[in-house]
Amino acid sequence: QVQLVESGGGLVQAGGSLRLSCAASGSFFRINVMAWYRQSPGKQRGLVATTNSGGAANVADSVKGRFTISRDNAKNTVYLQMNSLKPEDTAVYYCNIIDTRGYYYWGQGTQVTVSS
């Protein structure tokens, strides 16, 4: 059984910062991709940022220059540093990992609310 535990969400004013963390535990093959997605009410879940086992990272255009994804392979943990937050960043943020077999795992989600 694989468990992803997310933390770091909350309420912040526009222009503020938050750092999300997601720690993976349990029985899984070596992690390949670690990613963050988000979903706002009435919208589909969308990709925010990804990082692969080699450390290469990509972020969505909507958060480029404001969000940074990083990972600690020894701790099976992925982070999302979010700066200059905007009200439109308000969403439930989900952690996702893909192991080397291609299996997907999801976290339970953490709420991020940005007030104007």
Side-chain angles (χ1 to χ4, degrees), residues 12-26:
V12 65
Q13 287 189 332
S17 298
L18 285 173
R19 188 191 193 210
L20 305 182
S21 300
C22 172
S25 62

Side-chain angles (χ1 to χ4, degrees), residues 18-114:
L18 285 173
R19 188 191 193 210
L20 305 182
S21 300
C22 172
S25 62
S27 300
F28 49 80
F29 277 45
R30 192 168 64 92
I31 296 174
N32 183 10
V33 175
M34 305 185 87
W36 288 96
Y37 288 73
R38 68 185 182 186
Q39 186 169 20
S40 304
K43 295 186 177 181
Q44 287 189 329
R45 190 175 298 187
L47 180 63
V48 177
T50 64
T51 177
N52 65 20
S53 57
N58 288 286
V59 296
D61 288 342
S62 60
V63 303
K64 197 163 290 184
R66 300 188 296 121
F67 290 12
T68 303
I69 188 170
S70 61
R71 62 193 282 171
D72 184 333
N73 291 326
K75 296 181 179 179
N76 290 325
T77 299
V78 62
Y79 306 96
L80 186 68
Q81 178 66 45
M82 305 185 294
N83 299 328
S84 302
L85 282 160
K86 304 176 181 180
E88 52 263 43
D89 295 318
T90 295
V92 177
Y93 284 71
Y94 295 91
C95 171
N96 166 261
I97 68 169
I98 307 173
D99 69 17
T100 51
R101 297 173 298 178
Y103 288 14
Y104 279 66
Y105 302 96
W106 291 94
Q108 80 285 357
T110 185
Q111 177 69 48
V112 171
T113 302
V114 185

